[in-house]
Amino acid sequence: MTTTEIPSQTSNGHKVAVEKTETAPTEVPTSLSANPALLGYPAFAIGALSLALFLTGFNQTTIPSTLAGGLPIMIVASGLLLIVASIWAIKRNDGVQAAIFGLFGAFWLSFTVLIVGLLDNWFGKLPEPAQRGANANFLLVWFVLMLAMTFATLRLPKAITLLFVLVDFSLITLFSAVSIARPGAGGDPFILHPGIAALFIMPFLGLYLFMSATNAALGGKSFPMGKPFIKR
């Protein structure tokens, strides 16, 4: 709020000062308007949705089973943008968000390398059981890491922890489905379907976090996130 003096003429001809009050425009704190979540969570959401649609066989008459429709999204919109969001968080000295977005970005990029490598024989011409084993090992390793991250987020709002719980559930069910699948099958459907369901929930939660960050960046309030499981 600022105050300025404006000359005014009185009835006896003398000038006096009159105060005029002006209200300064409200400024959004930099910590809210420059939030890496504005980029990280939508990048995560679109990758999860793309993978879920592929696993359900959505529109497979026009999108071949080589993930031709999903891989560009996972590489650019998910992998690279999440790395950018991680670098953004590092520049803001936000190590937690940098770790979250960096790990998500590394997952999508490494997943792309795995899929393209198996399809194009980057690792040699592997028989079908060996390829299934490679997929299972990949999913298991990432499950262990994401499970550790889940416990590490217990001091963060519940919505973020819930996102990691969904990631954990999806990874472990996909791992189980691939591990016990019959030769030539993509995965046991009774185990695969719950994991795909979790994949479909993740984009909505990711977009909820994105909209919350956007609303705060524009001067509004963050959406309810839930209190942390472990208080500071």
Side-chain angles (χ1 to χ4, degrees):
M1 182 180 295
T2 60
T3 303
T4 58
E5 292 186 355
I6 303 176
S8 177
Q9 193 76 22
T10 62
S11 59
N12 57 7
H14 295 288
K15 293 182 179 180
V16 296
V18 178
E19 291 187 352
K20 180 181 179 181
T21 303
E22 298 178 355
T23 302
T26 303
E27 294 184 0
V28 180
T30 304
S31 60
L32 297 178
S33 61
N35 189 349
L38 297 170
L39 183 62
Y41 287 122
F44 168 83
I46 193 172
L49 180 59
S50 178
L51 180 58
L53 290 175
F54 167 75
L55 291 176
T56 58
F58 177 78
N59 205 20
Q60 287 295 301
T61 57
T62 57
I63 301 179
S65 59
T66 55
L67 277 174
L71 285 180
I73 295 175
M74 295 176 194
I75 296 173
V76 180
S78 294
L80 296 182
L81 286 185
L82 280 163
I83 296 300
V84 171
S86 179
I87 296 172
W88 184 358
I90 292 172
K91 290 183 176 294
R92 295 180 66 247
N93 296 321
D94 190 345
V96 175
Q97 284 207 98
I100 291 174
F101 295 141
L103 288 173
F104 281 151
F107 170 81
W108 289 116
L109 292 176
S110 60
F111 176 77
T112 302
V113 171
L114 173 69
I115 297 301
V116 175
L118 291 176
L119 291 174
D120 290 346
N121 299 322
W122 289 0
F123 316 116
K125 194 170 183 179
L126 301 177
E128 191 272 337
Q131 293 190 25
R132 192 167 67 247
N135 288 323
N137 289 341
F138 176 88
L139 293 168
L140 180 61
V141 169
W142 275 104
F143 166 73
V144 172
L145 179 58
M146 290 300 175
L147 182 63
M149 282 296 297
T150 303
F151 286 105
T153 62
L154 292 177
R155 294 184 183 275
L156 296 177
K158 283 189 176 72
I160 297 177
T161 303
L162 177 59
L163 181 64
F164 274 92
V165 170
L166 290 171
V167 172
D168 297 338
F169 180 78
S170 179
L171 288 172
I172 195 62
T173 51
L174 293 177
F175 163 77
S176 302
V178 171
S179 298
I180 66 175
R182 300 184 304 274
D188 188 284
F190 295 101
I191 303 177
L192 186 63
H193 290 165
I196 295 175
L199 276 171
F200 272 111
I201 298 173
M202 281 189 278
F204 292 100
L205 183 53
L207 291 177
Y208 178 85
L209 295 171
F210 161 67
M211 290 186 293
S212 174
T214 302
N215 196 54
L218 295 175
K221 292 183 179 180
S222 298
F223 296 167
M225 296 287 182
K227 295 181 180 179
F229 288 98
I230 300 178
K231 296 182 179 179
R232 298 180 184 274

